[in-house]
Amino acid sequence: MSGDILPKWVDVLLIPLLNLVLALFVSGLVVLFIGENPFEAMRILVNGAVGSAYGWGYTLYYTTNFIFTGLGVAVAFHARLFNIGGEGQAAIGGLGVALAMLWVPWPHWSVALVAAAVAAALFGAAWAAIPAWLQARRGSHIVITTIMFNFIASALMVYLLSRVLLVPGAGGSPETARFAEAVRLPNAADVLPFLGFPRSTPLNVSFALALLSALFVWVLIWRTRLGYEIRAFGLSGPAALYAGISPVRITMIAMLISGGLCGMMATNAVLGEAERLVIDPVQGAGFVGIAVALMGRSHPVGVILAALLFGVLYQGGAELEFERPAITRELVIVIQALVILFTGALDGMVRRPLEGFFVARRRGRPAAAAAVPEPTSPRGADNDPVHRAEP
């Protein structure tokens, strides 16, 4: 509806920008309240995120996680499905990566990356299939079921890591054995040594896989018949049903793709960074993906840009916490939560006044066009638009 009222540039650029400015303004007030300089805090945050190759390495690592989960949530959004279960689907995707890496001796990292992506997508999709079936066949609310499956996934992972997959001699730390050296993904220092990335950077080739996933989603949603059916079902379920589109089929397919994309986040966190499966490899990226999809307007380009913004907030927030002890980790989380709040839940606070402005502006245009223009000369000219009455 808003897409018919607002110009495209207002919807995809101006509103997210205003939401971000409001979030940063309120965050600055919070920082000022504890006695710190908000402008200095902002300088540290931005410089820590993009002021060095080290900062860029971590920022783009977090960005990779958020691209995967943001794309997963965005595909479900197009079918008007609110997938809150990205956290659990990504965790189960990590289980798929670990099983594939530990049980098969892959000869090269490139083959292992493909296998890990497939395993992560299959496990993530399988975890999303149950809430999708409950929604499509039994009428269960997808929000409730996907939230519950996050808790089930968390408990399942703790059990498996502490009882089944625990490596002997781990000293009580719930984690699997480290993957073989042959499947270690090249990081940014290996691929782009001329950019000065340190060896410790977690940024790896999974970033390219995330960009390819964004291209896949764009082709799927806007260049295929299935994507058209998903968008049609999302815009109007009854109209899609009248056109012969099965709600059960679209619900299942959209959620399977959504869960698969969320699960693929594990290729970055489990295979690329930890190189083993540990407790909570997702670290909230599934929930951040919701804000990324909302802020990115469910478009792959918007998702990439929003993911980069949250990557800056994550890495810059860590630097801010390190350099300003008064700004604790909890306060950094509050700042991140304010951005999510303004870009997601409070989106209408900016959108509705702008919609009212543009509606009033459009109503004014026909009236102006219908009004009789003033003549350009006292007696009128040959090219005057005024229709003069014949004598």
Side-chain angles (χ1 to χ4, degrees):
M1 180 67 184
S2 60
D4 299 332
I5 297 175
L6 295 174
K8 198 69 176 175
W9 66 272
V10 174
D11 189 36
V12 303
L13 184 63
L14 183 60
I15 291 179
L17 187 62
L18 290 175
N19 285 329
L20 179 61
V21 170
L22 287 173
L24 294 179
F25 175 73
V26 177
S27 301
L29 293 179
V30 174
V31 172
L32 189 64
F33 180 75
I34 63 171
E36 291 286 337
N37 186 340
F39 296 102
E40 178 64 14
M42 180 59 66
R43 187 196 66 78
I44 295 173
L45 189 149
V46 173
N47 187 59
V50 298
S52 65
Y54 173 84
W56 272 110
Y58 274 89
T59 297
L60 292 180
Y61 166 74
Y62 293 125
T63 301
T64 305
N65 288 341
F66 302 148
I67 289 175
F68 280 123
T69 55
L71 289 173
V73 177
V75 169
F77 275 172
H78 281 292
R80 198 174 285 184
L81 297 169
F82 211 75
N83 180 17
I84 311 293
E87 192 81 5
Q89 291 149 17
I92 297 299
L95 176 63
V97 171
L99 295 179
M101 294 301 104
L102 293 174
W103 287 357
V104 181
W106 302 102
H108 193 264
W109 67 263
S110 57
V111 183
L113 177 61
V114 175
V118 172
L122 288 177
F123 273 66
W127 200 249
I130 305 172
W133 184 85
L134 292 173
Q135 160 86 17
R137 288 292 188 188
R138 311 303 300 173
S140 302
H141 202 292
I142 197 77
V143 173
I144 304 300
T145 52
T146 48
I147 287 177
M148 292 299 105
F149 268 70
N150 285 336
F151 291 103
I152 298 173
S154 177
L156 178 62
M157 293 295 290
V158 170
Y159 171 76
L160 291 176
L161 282 172
S162 60
R163 301 292 181 86
V164 181
L165 298 174
L166 180 66
V167 59
S173 177
E175 61 184 36
T176 66
R178 186 172 289 274
F179 303 151
E181 185 65 22
V183 304
R184 189 184 72 84
L185 298 184
N187 63 13
D190 298 321
V191 179
L192 303 169
F194 51 91
L195 293 180
F197 285 107
R199 300 293 305 176
S200 60
T201 181
L203 176 64
N204 58 78
V205 294
S206 296
F207 181 67
L209 183 63
L211 297 181
L212 288 175
S213 299
L215 178 62
F216 161 76
V217 170
W218 179 79
V219 172
L220 169 71
I221 298 297
W222 280 279
R223 288 295 183 272
T224 65
R225 178 175 177 176
L226 175 60
Y228 177 80
E229 292 177 343
I230 290 175
R231 285 185 290 133
F233 179 73
L235 290 173
S236 175
L241 180 62
Y242 184 76
I245 299 173
S246 168
V248 175
R249 173 174 165 268
I250 293 299
T251 299
M252 290 299 299
I253 291 177
M255 281 299 294
L256 289 176
I257 296 174
S258 176
L261 287 167
C262 291
M264 287 175 68
M265 194 219 83
T267 58
N268 185 45
V270 176
L271 180 60
E273 197 268 335
E275 298 179 350
R276 63 193 187 284
L277 184 59
V278 298
I279 285 289
D280 192 21
V282 188
Q283 296 186 343
F287 296 119
V288 175
I290 300 168
V292 168
L294 284 170
M295 195 169 186
R297 298 296 181 265
S298 300
H299 192 283
V301 176
V303 167
I304 292 174
L305 295 177
L308 179 60
L309 169 66
F310 279 92
V312 168
L313 289 174
Y314 261 62
Q315 171 56 19
E319 291 293 327
L320 185 62
E321 177 189 357
F322 179 75
E323 293 199 22
R324 288 288 185 274
I327 302 177
T328 61
R329 178 63 183 162
E330 288 72 23
L331 189 60
V332 172
I333 294 175
V334 167
I335 295 174
Q336 294 165 355
L338 283 171
V339 175
I340 295 175
L341 181 69
F342 276 88
T343 56
L346 299 182
D347 180 79
M349 190 173 65
V350 173
R351 179 180 297 277
R352 290 196 184 93
L354 286 174
E355 286 180 350
F357 170 77
F358 280 97
V359 166
R361 187 180 176 189
R362 286 185 181 181
R363 284 175 180 170
R365 277 183 178 174
V372 178
E374 292 294 329
T376 56
S377 66
R379 301 181 59 185
D382 292 340
N383 60 349
D384 240 334
V386 180
H387 297 287
R388 288 164 293 179
E390 293 294 333

